[in-house]
Structures are given as C-alpha cells and as structure tokens.
Amino acid sequence: MLYTKKALQMGAIAVGLAAFAGQSSLAESAKKEDSKPSVKTETMQVMPELTMASHFVGVPYNRSGVSVSIIKPEEFQKAGIETLTGALSQTPGVFTLDGGGTWQRGSVSNTVIRGMNKETYTLTMVDGMRISDANMSGNKLLGITNLFTVGNAEVVKGAQGAVFGSGAIGGVVAMDTPEGEGEPVTRIFAEAGSFGSFNSYVTSSGKIKKLSYFVGVGFETTENDPSIYPAIYDNRTGMNDFRQWQEAVRLGYDVNDKVKVNFTYRRLDSYFEYPTPYVVYS
C-alpha cells in the first residue's frame, strides 16, 4: 500500500513538472511571437461588372435598379425580323406596333415603354445624340429604321432612365451605328413581295490594322395595303405609299490602347403619304 501511494505521489509530481514545463515553453513561444514584426495581408476585392451605356457613362445596372434589354440585330434577322419596331415588339415591357397606328410600313411607331408614351416621356438616342427635332421625333425614327444600320440597341425601362437627362423618365431607346471588326466582309440583301414591296441593302465592314469601318446603304419601297379602310381604298390615289433611302458610315481609329477616335455619319431620306382612317361622307 505504501509503495502504491508513493508511486501515485511521484506520478503527480511528474505530471506537475510536465505541465509547468509546457506552460514555460508556451510563454516563451508567445514572447517570440510578440517580438516578431507584424505583417499585414491585403485581399483583392472584385468589383461588379460595369455596362457602358451609349450615353458614355458607366452604370452598374445591377445596383441602379434599372431594367435594360439589349437588342442584337443579328439575332432578330435570323428570325426574319428586319425592322427596329419588329425587334422592339419582342422586347419585354415594350409595346409597339410594327407599322404604327395604321398598320402600314413607314407609319409612326406608337411605342410605349411600361405604360409611358414614347413621344412624351421617353427618349431616343443615336450614337449618343438625343433625337428631339420636331420633324424627326423618336416615334417617327423608330417607325422607319431598319436593323441593318443598327449595331446594338439598349432599351432602358423605368424612371431610372432619367440619368440620361430630361424627357427620359419613362425610359430610353439608345442605338448605335455598327462598328467594323474582324476580316472585311460584305453583305447583300434583297427581297420583294406584294403591293409593290421591295427592300434591299448592302453593308461592308471590317478592321484593317488600327482602322475599323462600317458602310451601309439601303433602299425600300412599298404601296402598303390600304384595303383595311374600304373608303380610302375605293378612292385611292397613291395613298399609303412609302419609300426611303438610308445611309450609315462609321470609322474608328485606335490611337493607342486607351484612346480611340470614332466618326459616324447617318442619312435618312424617307417619304410616307399618310392616310387617315376617318372619312367624312357628305
């Protein structure tokens, strides 16, 4: 029994010495760690991707609450849609008639974005320029524009469109002239149909070293179909005829990696003999 007690006492003393030695080593390690110079580590934070809108101001759409739809002409052309109003009619939150209030090619588009009338509350922009001339309002331009002269179009929906300035509280339709890239390529398109309809255009685009270019010309004509208004159709003398000529040029030059110079030219010569659905009988 005495031997057992002594053994236990010796074991307790050994454990106590081991614990004391452990505490001493920990204290010495702590002193060494404290004596080392402190090193700060930095972490890289990835910022959200910015979308460069055609008004040349970077807007983080994922934080601004703006709803934006991007119209890519090549996707709609594959589906047989050649007009801007045809593409807009497939855009969520946008109501428009491809052919305007008279359902005739060349008529005013009557576009509405989220219930806001295009003519009064929303804005049309081309290559960063506001379209506000009384003779070429936004609705008139949208009603006659073909997609072959459009690079991409942004449709900003909602009151946040006010970042574009006055007259845009309902939204914005901002389009740009296509930019040439890659190997030079030329496209030729032509189609004909009933009512004397003919539509054609030729485009050439590409990039040669630092110079990018796009050139496009188009011609369109149609007699439309006024038979939806019998009184007009019976007394028709060229009513509803539409024809237009479009030209678009864009040149870009890469001065260096950060600077690029662009030049754009657009011309639209359009004629539409507008009928009225209301006929007064004597």
Side-chain angles (χ1 to χ4, degrees), residues 62-76:
N62 61 339
R63 293 187 178 182
S64 64
V66 177
S67 175
V68 180
S69 294
I70 306 298
I71 295 177
K72 297 183 178 181
E74 60 274 10
E75 296 181 359
F76 287 94

Side-chain angles (χ1 to χ4, degrees), residues 42 105 237:
E42 296 182 357
R105 175 64 180 146
T237 57

Side-chain angles (χ1 to χ4, degrees), residues 140-155:
K140 293 179 182 177
L141 180 63
L142 297 182
I144 59 180
T145 299
N146 284 324
L147 287 177
F148 81 90
T149 61
V150 178
N152 282 327
E154 294 181 358
V155 183

Side-chain angles (χ1 to χ4, degrees), residues 16-246:
L17 291 174
F20 177 78
Q23 291 178 355
S24 299
S25 61
L26 290 175
E28 291 179 0
S29 299
K31 289 180 180 179
K32 290 181 179 179
E33 291 293 332
D34 293 338
S35 62
K36 292 182 180 180
S38 59
V39 179
K40 295 182 178 180
T41 58
E42 296 182 357
T43 58
M44 181 180 294
Q45 183 177 4
V46 179
M47 300 301 292
E49 183 178 354
L50 295 181
T51 298
M52 184 63 71
S54 54
H55 63 310
F56 305 117
V57 177
V59 179
Y61 288 129
N62 61 339
R63 293 187 178 182
S64 64
V66 177
S67 175
V68 180
S69 294
I70 306 298
I71 295 177
K72 297 183 178 181
E74 60 274 10
E75 296 181 359
F76 287 94
Q77 289 173 337
K78 290 178 181 178
I81 298 175
E82 299 289 336
T83 63
L84 182 58
T85 49
L88 288 171
S89 66
Q90 304 296 316
T91 303
V94 179
F95 171 79
T96 187
L97 297 176
D98 190 11
T102 60
W103 299 282
Q104 306 294 293
R105 175 64 180 146
S107 179
V108 176
S109 69
N110 295 332
T111 302
V112 178
I113 300 177
R114 287 188 174 179
M116 304 294 277
N117 183 272
K118 180 71 188 67
E119 194 70 24
T120 306
Y121 300 105
T122 58
L123 176 66
T124 300
M125 302 182 71
V126 179
D127 293 327
M129 302 294 294
R130 300 167 63 94
I131 304 300
S132 57
D133 188 274
N135 295 322
M136 181 52 72
S137 64
N139 268 334
K140 293 179 182 177
L141 180 63
L142 297 182
I144 59 180
T145 299
N146 284 324
L147 287 177
F148 81 90
T149 61
V150 178
N152 282 327
E154 294 181 358
V155 183
V156 181
K157 293 164 283 187
Q160 293 295 331
V163 298
F164 288 80
S166 62
I169 62 172
V172 181
V173 177
M175 67 190 87
D176 58 12
T177 305
E179 182 177 0
E181 58 183 2
E183 294 293 328
V185 60
T186 299
R187 298 178 58 198
I188 301 176
F189 172 85
E191 65 178 358
S194 57
F195 305 105
S197 300
F198 178 74
N199 184 23
S200 63
Y201 62 81
V202 178
T203 64
S204 180
S205 63
K207 188 171 185 179
I208 303 175
K209 295 183 178 180
K210 294 185 176 183
L211 177 65
S212 61
Y213 70 93
F214 171 86
V215 179
V217 294
F219 175 75
E220 180 181 359
T221 181
T222 181
E223 296 176 358
N224 279 306
D225 178 18
S227 61
I228 56 175
Y229 306 126
I232 295 177
Y233 183 75
D234 294 340
N235 301 282
R236 181 169 188 263
T237 57
M239 299 294 285
N240 253 28
D241 288 346
F242 170 69
R243 62 178 180 271
Q244 73 172 351
W245 177 270
Q246 293 190 65

